Amino acid sequence: MKQKTVFCCTECGNETLKWSGRCPVCGAWDSFKEVKLEKSGGKTAAVRSAKVPKLISELDNEEELRFSTGIGELDRVLGGGAVKGSIVLVGGAPGIGKSTLLLQLCGLVDEGQKILYVSGEESERQIKMRAQRLGVDGGKIYVLAETGLNEVLSAAERLEPDLVIIDSIQTMFDADVSSAPGSISQVRECTMAIMRQTKDRGYTTFVVGHINKEGSIAGPKVLEHMVDCVLYFEGERSTSFRILRAGKNRFGSTNEIGVFEMADNGLKELQNPSEILLSGRPDAAPGTCVTCVIEGSRPILAEIQALVAPSAYNSGRRSSNGIDYNRATLLLAVLEKRGGMALSGCDAYINVIGGLELDEPSADLATVLAIASSFRDKPLGADLAAVGEVGLSGEVRSINSLNMRLTEISRLGFKRCVIPAHIKDDIKAPQGLELIAVKDIREAIRQTLG
Ligand code: TYD
Ligand code: MG
């Protein structure tokens, strides 16, 4: 048997026949790894392609079959529940809570579902102990501590489950592939085989993937191309917050997030993340301002902090966490030029609390106010929030969904909110919330910091 090898870029999944030092597609250096194409894989693929094409008008047009995972926040990120016949990759750093999430899912999903929980990382006893601690019992949960791909596939074939969980893909091992578990060829062949069986049998598979230091799922990016959904489980290990985000979703949008808190007895869903995100907020500290962003369909309040201090160097250092670095430096420049603050000789650090990433321009105004407040060393007051986009001339521009944001801001007890002056007529201030309409950042600073 003649074995064929190709070279596969670990960054983008590009395949070539010849090795090269730099990937011509994504530009990554030293990213090509040799991958052996197993003969058996090729043959199966050829047989599969012998399927007869069908007319699109003759295909069943019923919606994909969805079911609830029993975890509302997970359903939300998946686009309204899990889809039968789909494969979902759950990525995240070690210890973030991937195994916990999926084991809890086993206990919460509808009792009638037959589940196969495969773990290559823990023994059956360890899984049992963890399940007990999480209060997962009963139901039709079958546990298999196994790393052999063929054993896993045949167990799934015999059991005919509705749901399969593989924890993790990096521990799975296909005996036909000569390289070590976790290598590109292994991860790729195993995912391919699991995916094929998932689609054929119509069950749903959740696969855990560890994330490497660059933040992508260890092994090749190819993995992300193959599966239907990629969910990232994020958060700082030092805080109890966890955010579930879709990086790819064939069956729904990718802008919904799910928010959890890691407690002693597992993950808790946070339906009202704003409250927790704002808890522990200093009352009268300078350099903090709250804003409201829309994540998917949900308004979430976020606290932006800024620390501005005279720099020891000629040009100040800038760092930004949770807000795009370029956006942050742009806002600092606008504030310097249009707000008359001498920031270039200052170091400026900007941080969003709770590990949130704000990518909406509506957070601009609150960022500017937090910086100005730190620069003047004067608090804005704990009852103030701000929403609005800031333009290059320092003008404050209107944003969408203002009513929804104001309602959330008012619900959390804020008394004053800075908003753009040019807004549509249908904007109504919720009771007890004073609106401060401003045309530009100078006016915003004058009205809030005097
Ligand atoms: P785990 O689900 O094992 O992470 P992963 O599978 O992503 O590697 O989560 C392990 C961490 O979560 C560990 O640091 C302990 C913590 N944890 C709790 O705080 N409470 C719990 O109930 C459980 C099960 C874990
Ligand atoms: Mg784990």
Side-chain angles (χ1 to χ4, degrees):
M1 165 175 114
K2 190 167 176 291
Q3 206 170 38
K4 211 177 144 200
T5 63
V6 294
F7 294 90
C8 178
C9 171
T10 52
E11 295 302 317
C12 68
N14 174 34
E15 270 178 23
T16 60
L17 290 175
K18 279 218 302 259
W19 187 87
S20 79
R22 186 174 190 218
C23 173
V25 172
C26 70
W29 290 97
D30 193 23
S31 62
F32 277 105
K33 294 269 150 53
E34 189 171 1
V35 176
K36 290 199 176 72
L37 290 182
E38 304 299 326
K39 190 120 186 285
S40 61
K43 205 158 87 194
T44 337
V47 172
R48 214 150 292 278
S49 67
K51 271 189 176 174
V52 190
K54 291 186 193 125
L55 261 180
I56 190 164
S57 56
E58 286 166 7
L59 296 176
D60 300 337
N61 58 355
E62 56 186 318
E63 276 245 2
E64 333 82 42
L65 286 169
R66 282 190 190 264
F67 64 95
S68 166
T69 61
I71 303 178
E73 295 291 289
L74 177 60
D75 285 351
R76 175 199 291 278
V77 180
L78 287 170
V83 175
K84 283 207 187 298
S86 74
I87 173 163
V88 180
L89 180 65
V90 181
I96 209 74
K98 302 178 294 296
S99 306
T100 309
L101 178 73
L102 293 178
L103 199 53
Q104 276 182 279
L105 183 159
C106 294
L108 292 168
V109 75
D110 183 56
E111 285 246 332
Q113 306 250 25
K114 202 193 271 181
I115 305 165
L116 174 61
Y117 186 101
V118 181
S119 179
E121 309 202 329
E122 289 169 300
S123 70
E124 276 141 18
R125 258 195 52 181
Q126 279 173 312
I127 297 166
K128 169 84 183 172
M129 270 157 54
R130 191 201 280 257
Q132 270 173 338
R133 213 148 43 83
L134 294 171
V136 175
D137 48 13
K140 293 189 233 161
I141 309 169
Y142 294 82
V143 175
L144 179 69
E146 177 62 67
T147 55
L149 175 74
N150 291 332
E151 286 78 0
V152 170
L153 291 180
S154 59
E157 196 147 338
R158 254 179 288 125
L159 194 64
E160 298 185 346
D162 301 292
L163 195 61
V164 176
I165 288 161
I166 311 260
D167 188 1
S168 64
I169 191 66
Q170 278 98 3
T171 55
M172 291 299 131
F173 182 76
D174 180 351
D176 296 338
V177 179
S178 48
S179 50
S183 67
I184 305 175
S185 345
Q186 281 291 355
V187 165
R188 183 185 143 112
E189 291 303 316
C190 291
T191 310
M192 196 61 110
I194 292 166
M195 185 179 71
R196 238 179 259 140
Q197 186 163 332
T198 300
K199 306 261 163 195
D200 279 357
R201 306 275 151 163
Y203 53 70
T204 306
T205 305
F206 284 85
V207 175
V208 169
H210 293 297
I211 273 184
N212 61 14
K213 56 184 186 307
E214 285 92 34
S216 62
I217 294 182
K221 273 252 163 149
V222 237
L223 198 61
E224 300 185 16
H225 300 316
M226 286 197 273
V227 299
D228 296 310
C229 303
V230 182
L231 308 184
Y232 288 101
F233 209 28
E234 302 169 348
E236 309 266 329
R237 276 200 68 178
S238 51
T239 71
S240 56
F241 257 118
R242 300 290 181 266
I243 292 175
L244 192 65
R245 199 183 286 285
K248 161 180 177 180
N249 191 351
R250 284 201 180 129
F251 310 110
S253 93
T254 51
N255 54 17
E256 291 284 359
I257 62 168
V259 189
F260 297 87
E261 191 181 9
M262 180 63 93
D264 291 340
N265 50 355
L267 290 157
K268 270 211 214 36
E269 299 180 56
L270 294 182
Q271 262 118 7
N272 289 313
S274 302
E275 275 143 42
I276 319 287
L277 278 167
L278 295 186
S279 66
R281 197 173 166 236
D283 263 354
T288 146
C289 187
V290 165
T291 191
C292 181
V293 291
I294 310 276
E295 287 280 2
S297 54
R298 188 161 57 159
I300 291 181
L301 295 200
E303 179 187 352
I304 301 168
Q305 293 194 332
L307 182 67
V308 179
S311 178
Y313 305 96
N314 281 339
S315 65
R317 279 162 36 103
R318 269 103 180 79
S319 105
S320 147
N321 198 357
I323 287 181
D324 176 57
Y325 178 80
N326 292 326
R327 191 85 200 162
T329 47
L330 181 146
L331 292 173
L332 283 160
V334 171
L335 200 46
E336 169 132 27
K337 187 95 175 160
R338 314 284 174 198
M341 292 188 175
L343 289 162
S344 55
C346 293
D347 293 339
Y349 305 94
I350 295 164
N351 183 38
V352 179
I353 300 292
L356 276 185
E357 293 278 338
L358 308 185
D359 48 13
E360 258 188 79
S362 66
D364 289 352
L365 187 56
T367 312
V368 162
L369 286 176
I371 298 167
S373 157
S374 178
F375 182 77
R376 294 253 186 105
D377 206 19
K378 213 169 158 184
L380 290 158
D383 64 344
L384 181 100
V387 290
E389 177 176 353
V390 172
L392 288 182
S393 333
E395 80 277 20
V396 176
R397 310 179 71 116
S398 65
I399 50 169
N400 60 13
S401 319
L402 190 54
N403 272 329
M404 194 201 263
R405 298 179 206 247
L406 293 177
T407 311
E408 179 75 355
I409 287 169
S410 158
R411 191 177 71 80
L412 278 125
F414 287 83
K415 297 281 177 280
R416 298 177 296 148
C417 185
V418 190
I419 60 164
H422 302 289
I423 48 169
K424 289 198 219 102
D425 302 335
D426 63 349
I427 301 300
K428 278 197 289 292
Q431 216 184 358
L433 185 70
E434 179 200 341
L435 299 185
I436 306 170
V438 297
K439 284 209 273 302
D440 53 38
I441 56 169
R442 263 178 192 276
E443 203 179 334
I445 294 167
R446 199 175 52 242
Q447 295 258 21
T448 53
L449 293 167

